[in-house]
Amino acid sequence: MVTLLGISGSLRKGSLNTALMQAAAALPADGYRMEIAGINGIPLYDGDLEEAEGIPAAVTALKEKIIAADGVILFTPEYNNGIPGAFKNAIDWLSRPSSDMARVFGGKAFALVGASPGNFGTLLSQNAWLPVLHTLGCRTFSEKRLMVSRAHTLFDADGKLTDEATAKRLGDLLAAFAKFAEK
Ligand SMILES: Cc1cc2nc3c(=O)[nH]c(=O)nc-3n(C[C@H](O)[C@H](O)[C@H](O)COP(=O)(O)O)c2cc1C
């Protein structure tokens, strides 16, 4: 059984990306199981803090989840046509100490998905993640992409995905990514 881990890059309770990740985890899964995680509780990266106190518990816990998974899906928002700082900060912590980077990221299958109220559905932040994942030594999934645009119109008041076309694209991506992660 392939294990996938979704990580939402938004801290917001009403996050569209977290809602999309929850919708992904609720889809019927064939041949894989999906767990979800977030980046709440991770402090701003500060080398002095690392030196004085080591790696924060929230970072270590997320690291272990990544290590246990066959594939990781980043549900990324887009801020100012780029990666939101909080999400990049979390990945920066996860890459510390650098001696641990290969254990966490090396050869690990990573996919990108994102939702935004705009028309381009996080296209530019997904593109901006590519060199970061490359640097970390990840195996990036490129067979399918999912940029969810006008995302605020696709969920009901409880944050449930109501758009069948998006749910289908999400399910197709997960199934293909699970096969990629299994290799
Ligand atoms: C500082 C800031 C910059 C933003 N820049 C973009 C942007 O470049 N492209 C975009 O599609 N949406 C942009 N947005 C809107 C976000 O896509 C929107 O707030 C979205 O809901 C954030 O993701 P979340 O719902 O998962 O928190 C921006 C929002 C903020 C707060």
Side-chain angles (χ1 to χ4, degrees), residues 6-182:
I7 304 177
S8 170
S10 174
L11 298 167
R12 261 175 10 102
K13 277 198 205 75
S15 161
L16 296 166
N17 285 279
T18 302
L20 188 66
M21 178 178 76
Q22 286 164 343
L27 286 172
D30 187 11
Y32 68 90
R33 66 191 179 87
M34 184 170 164
E35 292 180 3
I36 59 174
I39 58 165
N40 296 71
I42 297 180
L44 281 179
Y45 179 77
D46 173 349
D48 293 341
L49 177 69
E50 182 185 7
E51 207 174 306
E53 297 177 23
I55 305 297
V59 176
T60 302
L62 190 51
K63 259 190 190 186
E64 294 308 321
K65 286 183 184 174
I66 293 173
I67 290 164
D70 298 300
V72 178
I73 306 150
L74 301 183
F75 288 81
T76 185
E78 176 173 302
Y79 284 178
N80 296 315
N81 291 353
I83 300 170
F87 205 6
K88 178 63 164 52
N89 174 71
I91 296 290
D92 291 341
W93 261 121
L94 289 162
S95 72
R96 299 295 301 161
S98 55
S99 56
D100 219 13
M101 211 163 98
R103 192 172 74 93
V104 179
F105 294 103
K108 179 78 63 182
F110 266 74
L112 291 159
V113 167
S116 118
N119 288 329
F120 301 102
T122 74
L123 172 66
L124 292 169
S125 70
Q126 290 192 36
N127 282 351
W129 273 111
L130 296 176
V132 177
L133 297 178
H134 178 79
T135 298
L136 295 171
C138 304
R139 202 160 60 86
T140 309
F141 176 70
S142 58
E143 192 185 316
K144 289 184 189 291
R145 305 187 75 181
L146 181 54
M147 276 86 56
V148 180
S149 53
R150 313 290 300 156
H152 59 300
T153 66
L154 308 179
F155 295 87
D156 67 17
D158 299 323
K160 191 171 170 301
L161 182 62
T162 52
D163 185 65
E164 281 177 24
T166 302
K168 165 90 171 66
R169 286 164 66 211
L170 190 56
D172 289 350
L173 184 143
L174 291 175
F177 181 56
K179 288 205 178 84
F180 177 83
E182 192 174 21

